[in-house]
DNA sequence: CCTACAGCGTTTTTT
DNA sequence: ACGCTGTAGG
């Protein structure tokens, strides 16, 4: 292995807790994988006793893969490499009884939880109000507080109200035998905190922890880490305060300092050599980030040569911007003999991808988009997953409501209302109530029969599930529910229908890929709930379009960072709330994704909700060294070229018409 | 229970 | 500018 001195020190240090401050592109994944190899081969730790916690499932997969190349035999398969949330899920699947959950509990996504809040809060509440209060509850959970603790800690009426809501919300979740994302951290934390025996057992089970992207952990996650690592501090945390971009989601970058306070013996190692970017790109990144206050000073350097100038494309509007970027990629791919997947277009918000997609199609550049309405948020995918959820968890009312009339079974609102009342008065779940004799007497024969039929269907599917693999079960599910026929009826547009059917096939494909021996359909559905759009299979040779948040941890030979405007990057909401530091870090993350060629662009005008806005270039542009930027205004030559192409294509169409 | 239309919110980032 | 949700009428 050829690690530099700092990397080697980080990989070999096992005497106590270690914090690695790893700048962008400084080889932190290598350090982590080398360290895993060291722990196994030199410290003789069993692979199963090492846990590496990553930020995304995709990062986990890559880490396992890279560790696999370093390790002998199949040792990498036994490593526990996953996200904090997946670790929490694994924990709860084992310890579910101790926190009051039954086997097969459901994981509620944002939609499901929002439905609970909607039900709990006054009718007609505005969405942003709902979001605000749900956020307060989530905050409390991310701090690791119980409802009682939240009530005690509440400052002011708003927080008291939220704490009260938190208690009701948890009761509702418990009734559904369900947890939300935050519970996947909070419940294990609470259990380890209160039960010494279980805590000791888990410390024995996990002897060493490595945490990646440590700057993005929240308070609850850090406390979980502390409990698992124990007073000895058998862990390595790797992070970069300059890449903390999730504070809005409850991440607490202060955890970096907390570490030194909680573990006085903490050793800190800085990785400052960058192996990714040219010096010019790094200089620009350093210059921008220097405008932020710093607790840990870091000076990233590179010996990869000066490199090409950073270009700034000044564009008329967002369409013009998209056309120029697409045109350049088409042109440069040929000139540099580059492959499409070496290009990335990064932006602040998902909505910015629209004009790009159009322009890329026109320029015949294959592209792949991560994010937006994610695969797993597609209605048809969620429907099928809801079937699985209800099969393993009969208490899951959210799943019940989602699919009871999907495909159509003529079970309407009135029927469901009556069913709901009955279920509530008897303390039954909707599915169980639908199977009770009492309900049948209170309903008209037709809806009663429909409900019974639905209950029998779920029962029958549960039986079927016992003898089929998860992937086959998905196929059986589609057939038995006549879902494809339902889609054919529901969706008139041919292309849209084909897309939706394709999504269902992809779901079956995922199950096939995820299947390991012994995992039930329910287990897989639970794991699927934790996947995100970033985790989809490698899209192959295509230009990548994604948000700056999704781009963290990735690198590309050519990077286009678009929409570098005041109001977009930094985003206007963040300007108003004075959260410029995080926006600047976002800019820093974007710049440091580029290995060789970095192009920034902005549009002077943009239309939003119909009206046209004018934009100034981002303040971050003026924070970069002037000499390293190569400004290129409206590209007259390209415009002319474009006009010529347009004219000739019109001519061609005319000629074709005439020929007929 | 279904269809048609009006009106509203949308665009910050996601495990 | 558009798509979704809720409502009114068949």
């Amino acid at each position: 292995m050829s690690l530099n001195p700092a990397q080697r020190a980080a990989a070999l240090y096992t005497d106590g807790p270690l914090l690695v401050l790893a700048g962008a592109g400084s080889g932190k994944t290598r350090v982590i994988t080398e360290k895993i190899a060291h722990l196994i081969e030199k410290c003789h730790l069993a692979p199963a006793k090492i846990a590496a916690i990553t930020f995304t499932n995709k990062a986990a997969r890559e880490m396992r893969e890279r560790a696999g190349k370093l390790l002998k035999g199949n040792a990498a398969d036994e490593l526990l490499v996953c996200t904090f949330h997946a670790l929490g899920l694994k924990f709860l699947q084992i310890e579910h009884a101790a926190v009051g959950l039954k086997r097969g509990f459901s994981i509620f996504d944002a939609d499901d939880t929002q439905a609970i809040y909607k039900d709990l809060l006054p009718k007609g509440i505005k969405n942003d109000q709902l979001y605000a209060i749900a956020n307060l509850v989530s905050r409390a959970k991310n701090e690791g507080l119980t409802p009682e603790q939240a009530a005690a800690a509440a400052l002011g009426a708003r927080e008291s109200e939220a704490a009260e809501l938190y208690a009701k919300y948890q009761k509702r979740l418990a009734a559904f035998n369900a947890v939300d994302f935050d519970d996947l951290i909070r419940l294990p934390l609470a259990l380890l905190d209160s039960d010494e025996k279980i805590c000791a057992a888990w410390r024995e089970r996990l002897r060493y922890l490595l945490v990646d992207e440590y700057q993005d952990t929240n308070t609850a996650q850090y406390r979980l880490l502390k409990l698992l690592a124990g007073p000895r501090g058998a862990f390595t945390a790797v992070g970069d305060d300059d890449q903390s971009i999730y504070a809005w989601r409850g991440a607490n970058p202060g955890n970096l300092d907390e570490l030194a306070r909680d573990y006085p013996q903490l050793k800190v190692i800085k990785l400052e050599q960058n192996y990714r970017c040219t010096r010019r790109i790094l200089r620009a990144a350093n210059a921008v980030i220097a405008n932020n206050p710093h607790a840990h000073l870091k000076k990233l350097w590179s010996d990869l040569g000066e490199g090409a100038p950073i270009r700034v494309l000044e564009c008329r509007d967002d369409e013009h911007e998209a056309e120029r970027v697409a045109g350049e990629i088409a042109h440069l791919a040929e000139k540099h003999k580059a492959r499409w997947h070496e290009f990335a277009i990064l932006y602040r918000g998902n909505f910015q991808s629209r004009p790009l997609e159009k322009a890329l199609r026109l320029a015949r550049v294959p592209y792949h988009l991560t994010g937006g309405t994610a695969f797993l948020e597609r209605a048809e995918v969620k429907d099928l997953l809801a079937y699985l959820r209800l099969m393993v968890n009969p208490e899951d009312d959210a799943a019940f409501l989602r699919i009871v009339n999907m495909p159509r079974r003529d079970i309407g609102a009135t029927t469901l209302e009556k069913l709901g009342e009955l279920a509530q008065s008897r303390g039954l779940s909707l599915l169980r109530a639908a199977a009770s004799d009492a309900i049948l007497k209170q309903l008209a024969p037709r809806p009663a029969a429909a409900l019974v039929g639905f209950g029998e269907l779920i029962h029958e599917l549960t039986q079927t599930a016992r003898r089929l693999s998860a992937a086959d079960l998905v196929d059986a599910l589609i057939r038995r529910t006549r879902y494809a026929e339902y889609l054919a009826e529901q969706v008139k547009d041919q292309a849209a229908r084909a897309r939706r059917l394709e999504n269902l096939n992809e779901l079956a494909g995922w199950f096939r890929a995820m299947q390991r021996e012994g995992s039930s359909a329910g287990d897989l559905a639970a794991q699927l709930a934790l996947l995100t759009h970033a985790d989809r299979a490698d899209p192959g040779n295509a230009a990548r379009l994604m948000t700056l948040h999704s781009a963290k941890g990735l690198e590309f030979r050519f990077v286009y960072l678009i929409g570098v405007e005041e109001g977009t990057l930094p985003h206007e909401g963040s300007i108003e709330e004075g959260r410029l530091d995080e926006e600047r870090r976002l800019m820093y993350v974007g710049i440091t994704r580029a290995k060789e060629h970095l192009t920034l662009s902005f549009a002077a005008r943009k239309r939003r909700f119909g009206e046209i806005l004018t934009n100034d270039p981002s303040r971050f542009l003026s924070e970069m060294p002037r000499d390293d930027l190569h400004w290129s205004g409206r590209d007259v030559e390209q415009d002319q070229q474009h006009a010529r192409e347009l004219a000739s294509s019109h001519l061609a169409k005319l000629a074709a018409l005439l020929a007929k």
Side-chain angles (χ1 to χ4, degrees):
Chain A
M1 67 177 179
S2 57
L3 298 172
N4 70 35
Q7 288 176 327
R8 185 187 312 266
L12 301 187
Y13 183 82
T14 53
D15 296 343
L18 171 67
L19 171 63
V20 181
L21 291 170
S26 61
K28 67 190 167 75
T29 308
R30 272 206 68 201
V31 169
I32 294 175
T33 49
E34 293 283 357
K35 182 150 198 166
I36 291 173
H38 175 74
L39 285 165
I40 294 172
E41 278 153 24
K42 296 285 168 356
C43 307
H44 306 293
L45 219 53
K49 300 213 163 192
I50 301 171
I53 313 294
T54 57
F55 194 64
T56 63
N57 294 283
K58 188 180 170 203
R61 210 166 49 220
E62 276 172 19
M63 181 123 12
R64 190 187 294 280
E65 220 166 90
R66 288 176 63 172
K69 285 180 186 153
L70 241 46
L71 296 171
K72 295 194 195 87
N74 298 332
D77 294 345
E78 287 168 45
L79 290 168
L80 184 59
V81 189
C82 62
T83 64
F84 258 116
H85 289 87
L87 175 67
L89 172 64
K90 203 179 176 72
F91 182 96
L92 289 180
Q93 281 174 338
I94 295 169
E95 310 285 358
H96 56 86
V99 295
L101 287 166
K102 284 173 266 185
R103 263 188 64 100
F105 60 86
S106 299
I107 301 169
F108 274 22
D109 67 11
D111 278 356
D112 300 320
T113 55
Q114 211 174 36
I116 298 182
Y117 284 119
K118 227 176 212 160
D119 202 37
L120 251 28
L121 289 163
K123 256 207 179 149
I125 189 171
K126 295 256 195 227
N127 259 342
D128 51 343
Q129 289 259 6
L130 187 115
Y131 185 75
I133 194 151
N135 221 334
L136 275 180
V137 175
S138 179
R139 274 300 154 91
K141 299 180 80 164
N142 283 330
E143 301 276 320
L145 300 176
T146 63
E148 298 76 42
Q149 290 168 330
L155 306 165
R158 256 170 73 80
E159 289 191 3
S160 299
E161 209 180 312
E164 211 172 297
L165 182 69
Y166 177 12
K168 287 189 200 161
Y169 168 81
Q170 272 329 116
K171 281 209 180 101
R172 203 57 78 88
L173 275 180
F176 296 155
N177 190 29
V179 297
D180 65 11
F181 279 128
D182 300 332
D183 285 336
L184 291 173
I185 311 299
R186 188 185 65 95
L187 292 175
L189 169 65
L191 183 58
L192 289 172
D193 205 18
S194 65
D195 191 319
E196 276 177 31
K197 256 176 134 175
I198 291 180
C199 190
W202 276 88
R203 280 182 190 162
E204 179 53 34
R205 157 90 178 71
L206 299 175
R207 297 291 299 279
Y208 201 91
L209 293 148
L210 301 112
V211 181
D212 195 12
E213 307 283 12
Y214 177 74
Q215 76 283 355
D216 288 323
T217 54
N218 61 39
T219 302
Q221 287 167 333
Y222 173 47
R223 287 179 51 197
L224 185 59
L225 167 68
K226 269 198 290 187
L227 281 170
L228 286 172
R232 285 184 305 121
F235 68 83
T236 295
V238 184
D240 178 4
D241 49 344
D242 288 330
Q243 293 187 69
S244 156
I245 54 176
Y246 283 98
W248 55 271
R249 201 177 77 185
N252 177 17
N255 281 347
L256 282 166
D257 308 318
E258 207 71 21
L259 219 45
R261 225 165 298 147
D262 289 340
Y263 295 94
Q265 75 275 37
L266 180 76
K267 172 143 174 125
V268 179
I269 295 175
K270 291 182 189 175
L271 303 183
E272 296 178 299
Q273 181 174 2
N274 168 297
Y275 296 94
R276 178 189 294 155
C277 316
T278 66
R279 288 166 67 172
R280 204 169 331 227
I281 290 169
L282 217 50
R283 201 151 59 218
N286 281 333
V288 168
I289 207 66
N291 291 281
N292 271 3
H294 277 88
H296 315 272
L297 266 184
K298 210 168 31 347
K299 41 180 194 317
L300 269 186
W301 59 278
S302 159
D303 63 5
L304 292 182
E306 191 64 8
I310 296 163
R311 291 178 318 129
V312 183
L313 265 38
E314 219 177 330
C315 307
R316 243 188 347 261
D317 53 40
D318 47 356
E319 279 177 24
H320 183 221
E321 182 181 40
E323 280 164 25
R324 287 182 72 179
V325 169
E328 277 209 11
I329 292 179
H331 176 69
L332 283 180
E334 194 162 336
K335 185 176 156 196
H336 289 276
K337 301 237 183 310
R339 316 242 316 153
W340 299 120
H341 69 256
E342 294 179 293
F343 292 88
I345 311 175
L346 310 180
Y347 36 78
R348 177 67 230 262
N350 278 308
F351 68 97
Q352 291 172 275
S353 68
R354 290 219 158 201
L356 283 169
E357 292 185 71
K358 190 174 156 201
L360 289 167
R361 274 197 299 270
L362 224 60
R364 299 184 182 284
V365 174
Y367 66 89
H368 178 263
L369 187 131
T370 52
T373 309
F375 169 73
L376 294 150
E377 277 151 42
R378 294 260 149 71
E380 59 275 15
V381 173
K382 291 185 89 167
D383 285 347
L384 282 193
L385 289 177
Y387 272 99
L388 293 177
R389 270 166 54 179
L390 191 56
M391 285 160 58
V392 288
N393 178 15
E395 320 285 329
D396 191 335
D397 285 358
F400 180 95
L401 288 173
R402 179 167 190 103
I403 53 173
V404 67
N405 203 29
M406 189 103 57
R408 187 137 294 140
R409 293 184 188 92
D410 293 327
I411 297 171
T414 351
T415 311
L416 288 178
E417 215 166 284
K418 277 192 193 152
L419 180 68
E421 275 168 29
L422 185 106
Q424 194 140 47
S425 70
R426 306 203 163 199
L428 291 174
S429 73
L430 292 175
L431 183 67
R432 291 192 203 279
S436 76
D437 290 336
I439 185 73
L440 306 178
K441 289 182 192 135
Q442 291 185 26
L443 286 172
R446 245 184 36 185
L451 276 180
V452 170
F454 179 69
E456 281 170 357
L457 171 69
I458 297 299
H459 183 70
E460 178 202 318
L461 286 169
T462 312
Q463 300 300 318
T464 314
R466 293 195 184 169
R467 31 183 194 82
L468 290 181
S469 75
D472 291 339
L473 180 62
V474 171
D475 291 334
L477 210 50
I478 295 170
R479 252 180 292 119
R480 186 62 185 79
T481 58
R482 303 176 57 77
Y483 199 91
E485 288 84 346
Y486 164 70
L487 274 185
E489 234 172 73
Q490 202 72 14
V491 185
K492 298 284 178 335
D493 181 48
Q494 188 93 37
R497 197 193 308 159
R499 241 192 336 269
R500 284 166 157 236
L501 284 173
E502 185 44 44
N503 284 334
L504 294 184
N505 281 332
E506 188 174 344
L507 182 66
W510 277 47
F511 275 97
R512 221 156 271 139
M514 284 167 63
Q515 187 126 46
R516 292 203 197 166
E517 50 183 310
S519 47
S520 71
D523 290 345
L524 292 184
Q527 280 175 48
L528 261 188
L530 299 186
L531 291 185
T532 70
H533 58 74
D535 300 317
R536 289 182 76 170
D538 175 20
N541 187 17
R544 303 294 153 89
L545 273 61
M546 66 186 87
T547 62
L548 289 163
H549 284 88
S550 307
K552 197 173 68 160
L554 305 178
E555 58 178 32
F556 305 92
R557 185 137 87 101
F558 301 87
V559 166
Y560 288 80
L561 181 45
I562 69 160
V564 189
E565 299 133 23
E566 282 297 296
T568 303
L569 182 62
H571 189 269
E572 70 183 317
S574 302
I575 300 174
E576 279 162 23
E577 285 164 44
R579 299 198 323 252
L580 268 169
D581 292 356
E582 185 147 311
E583 296 292 311
R584 193 173 278 110
R585 290 193 289 267
L586 220 35
M587 181 80 189
Y588 175 78
V589 166
I591 295 169
T592 53
R593 297 311 96 192
K595 294 205 268 194
E596 291 174 28
H597 300 274
L598 175 64
T599 307
L600 312 167
S601 70
F602 69 90
R605 293 188 312 164
K606 243 177 206 180
R607 66 160 24 112
R608 189 170 67 161
F609 312 144
E611 63 181 335
I612 289 168
L613 302 176
T614 59
N615 302 307
D616 292 328
S618 168
R619 71 189 73 188
F620 299 146
L621 285 173
S622 52
E623 292 175 359
M624 298 168 69
R626 210 170 267 260
D627 294 343
D628 289 325
L629 298 187
H630 186 283
W631 288 67
S632 122
R634 280 189 43 193
D635 193 328
V636 180
E637 238 177 78
Q638 189 188 321
D639 276 4
Q640 285 172 347
Q641 172 74 22
H642 188 67
R644 272 200 298 276
E645 275 166 23
L646 221 63
S648 73
S649 88
H650 278 248
L651 270 175
K653 270 184 210 153
L654 251 165
L657 274 174
L658 284 174
K660 277 186 194 166

